[in-house]
Amino acid sequence: MFTPKPGKPVSFAALKSALKKAGYTLDSAEIIASGTLVHDETGWWVRVEPAGQLFRLEGTSLEQTLSGADPDSSVEVVGNWRTEGEGSLAKETVTPREVKKLAAGPKAMAVSLNDAALDNMPAFRFERASFSRPEVEHDSTAMLNLPSKPLAPIRVSSPGLTVYKGGAVTPRLYFIDQHLGNLDVSRQAFNLAVSYTPSPRVQLEVEVPVSRTSFDDGITSGSGTGLGNITLWTKYRFFRKVKTYGDRQAALRFGLELPTGKSDAPSQAVINAPAFVRQQLTPINGGLSLHFDVSFSQAGGRFIFGGNAEAIVRSERDGFRMGHELRLNTDLEYVLLPRKYDVPGGELFLILETTFVHQGTGRLDGNVVPGSKATVYYVAPGLQYAAHPQFVIEGSVQLPVVRNTGPLVLRNDRNILLGVRYLF
């Protein structure tokens, strides 16, 4: 249910068109119009102030429904709402199922989109506890201001587009522990992602990382801070099917990683390690890189399952790059709370994500580096809490289950992620 802005006339046809642009089909809507009952030679009308909009009353049992109501009296009309005609000849009509007499006072309107109102749009079905969890994309210029569902997963790429004609700000903090022999490495990385969705199929995003790296081999230690490679993303959702208690969607994503990060590695005098290992202590994995990603998700009841496959093709920067990568990720979610869904917000999601990474041979000064391959499988349990329909708190811990890494590749021991998301 929503209340139109004061002084603004409403149109069922315009509402239907706005929702169609966002990917939904409006079947019916019920309107509550409080105003002055008007009668003329064309029939009965309700005039709603302050816009002064007229709603024509119709129906086979109209006279019986209006029984006892006099012209110029204040009434509240509840009934099915439609637009008849087009352009300048369009009229808003209401088939009343109930008419109440009111004392003279402010006049207002409200519109209710009931169970049959939207084609499989669970956001308006709170009493039915529909946890299919498709994000509710809305056009901020339309009459509706629909609640924006939080996006999951946390680490796995999602085919969702957050908010139609809106976006999201996602700051995240990573605490990463690595080692290689007696060398211990600790990273604190901050990543800021800002996305915008200009259409129901396309999303644009930019990611800006900054990291601090400290290292200690038992003899010497040091640290450094710097900007990482900024990545520009474009996502195209080519498939979506929404149904009651379920949502399936798939998307392609293309990323361009720019060579913006700090590339200066500690010298041999600072840390006694091979050059390829010392290069891994910088915030970058190479230079200009291309990312190709395809993702899919399916929701049903309280369970959500998704996954994505990503390929990364890297170029050298200052003579260094890690190997090209293939990543396969899965995401399993369960809506733990609330058990009874009355209003949006307050959802708690249990999340279990997995990541398989195969990293090819790296290069240094144009030469292949033996011992730089890696194949790792991670699991990452996590929690996501929607404190508000537009504000989400999330966190997860990624742990290695299987590690097959070369003798020159830093090994990840633990990766803790803490973040928030704000949808606008």
Side-chain angles (χ1 to χ4, degrees):
M1 180 175 289
F2 69 95
T3 303
K5 294 180 179 179
K8 298 287 186 179
V10 298
S11 166
F12 178 88
L15 176 61
K16 185 174 183 177
S17 176
L19 287 171
K20 183 177 180 180
K21 291 179 181 178
Y24 300 98
T25 301
L26 178 61
D27 178 62
S28 65
E30 186 172 85
I31 194 168
I32 303 172
S34 299
T36 303
L37 191 62
V38 177
H39 185 266
D40 59 19
E41 64 277 4
T42 63
W44 290 93
W45 305 74
V46 171
R47 183 175 64 245
V48 179
E49 303 297 347
Q53 185 173 9
L54 290 169
F55 291 83
R56 179 181 173 85
L57 304 182
E58 58 181 27
T60 55
S61 59
L62 180 62
E63 294 297 332
Q64 179 179 352
T65 306
L66 293 176
S67 177
D70 301 320
D72 298 325
S73 61
S74 295
V75 295
E76 179 184 86
V77 176
V78 181
N80 189 54
W81 175 32
R82 307 290 295 181
T83 299
E84 293 185 355
E86 298 180 356
S88 59
L89 299 179
K91 293 182 176 62
E92 302 304 311
T93 67
V94 180
T95 302
R97 64 174 177 81
E98 183 179 359
V99 176
K100 298 179 182 178
K101 288 186 178 181
L102 299 176
K107 311 299 191 297
M109 284 186 294
V111 176
S112 173
L113 308 180
N114 52 34
D115 278 355
L118 294 173
D119 180 18
N120 302 316
M121 191 172 182
F124 285 94
R125 312 172 81 146
F126 303 132
E127 75 283 358
R128 295 183 59 178
S130 176
F131 285 95
S132 60
R133 205 170 173 266
E135 73 273 31
V136 182
E137 298 158 0
H138 69 272
D139 183 344
S140 59
T141 64
M143 292 182 293
L144 279 179
N145 181 20
L146 307 182
S148 303
K149 300 297 290 182
L151 271 184
I154 298 176
R155 298 176 186 266
V156 179
S157 177
S158 168
L161 302 183
T162 59
V163 182
Y164 171 46
K165 284 197 176 178
V169 178
T170 307
R172 284 175 166 174
L173 189 60
Y174 298 81
F175 299 91
I176 305 170
D177 291 328
Q178 299 173 300
H179 84 279
L180 183 62
N182 60 353
L183 174 62
D184 293 323
V185 179
S186 178
R187 300 179 189 269
Q188 299 84 46
F190 176 77
N191 186 85
L192 178 63
V194 179
S195 66
Y196 181 74
T197 305
S199 82
R201 291 184 178 269
V202 176
Q203 178 176 292
L204 307 175
E205 186 174 12
V206 59
E207 289 186 14
V208 182
V210 178
S211 68
R212 179 185 182 277
T213 303
S214 59
F215 52 88
D216 188 339
D217 65 356
I219 300 174
T220 60
S221 62
S223 64
T225 303
L227 177 70
N229 286 347
I230 296 174
T231 306
L232 306 177
W233 293 97
T234 299
K235 183 190 295 184
Y236 175 72
R237 185 173 61 191
F238 60 88
F239 170 77
R240 189 183 194 194
K241 186 174 183 180
V242 184
K243 62 179 182 178
T244 304
Y245 307 118
D247 182 22
R248 287 185 293 172
Q249 50 187 331
L252 295 172
R253 194 168 69 141
F254 171 77
L256 182 63
E257 185 178 329
L258 305 176
T260 57
K262 180 182 177 182
S263 60
D264 297 334
S267 66
Q268 185 79 32
V270 174
I271 180 75
N272 185 21
F276 190 79
V277 175
R278 288 186 278 113
Q279 286 288 348
Q280 294 174 63
L281 300 178
T282 69
I284 67 172
N285 288 319
L288 185 70
S289 302
L290 301 178
H291 296 247
F292 304 92
D293 183 294
V294 58
S295 58
F296 173 81
S297 71
Q298 177 169 338
R302 290 180 175 267
F303 287 93
I304 302 99
F305 175 79
N308 79 290
E310 179 181 1
I312 307 174
V313 180
R314 295 191 171 100
S315 66
E316 293 183 30
R317 174 137 184 245
D318 294 339
F320 163 75
R321 73 161 173 81
M322 299 296 288
H324 306 314
E325 282 189 24
L326 174 64
R327 292 174 170 261
L328 301 175
N329 305 286
T330 66
D331 164 59
L332 178 63
E333 304 168 41
Y334 178 74
V335 185
L336 181 63
L337 297 173
R339 305 311 296 178
K340 182 180 179 182
Y341 200 58
D342 296 317
V343 295
E347 301 98 333
L348 179 64
F349 299 90
L350 299 181
I351 298 176
L352 179 64
E353 297 169 300
T354 70
T355 300
F356 170 83
V357 181
H358 175 71
Q359 184 174 280
T361 304
R363 286 181 172 267
L364 188 65
D365 297 327
N367 299 315
V368 172
V369 180
S372 58
K373 287 186 177 181
T375 301
V376 188
Y377 182 73
Y378 301 95
V379 297
L383 291 172
Q384 188 179 76
Y385 176 64
H388 183 273
Q390 291 178 271
F391 183 73
V392 181
I393 303 171
E394 57 193 11
S396 73
V397 179
Q398 187 183 68
L399 301 170
V401 177
V402 177
R403 287 188 300 199
N404 182 15
T405 60
L408 294 180
V409 179
L410 292 176
R411 299 186 173 190
N412 285 2
D413 299 316
R414 181 173 57 247
N415 185 332
I416 300 174
L417 182 157
L418 300 174
V420 298
R421 304 189 191 193
Y422 174 74
L423 282 68
F424 60 87

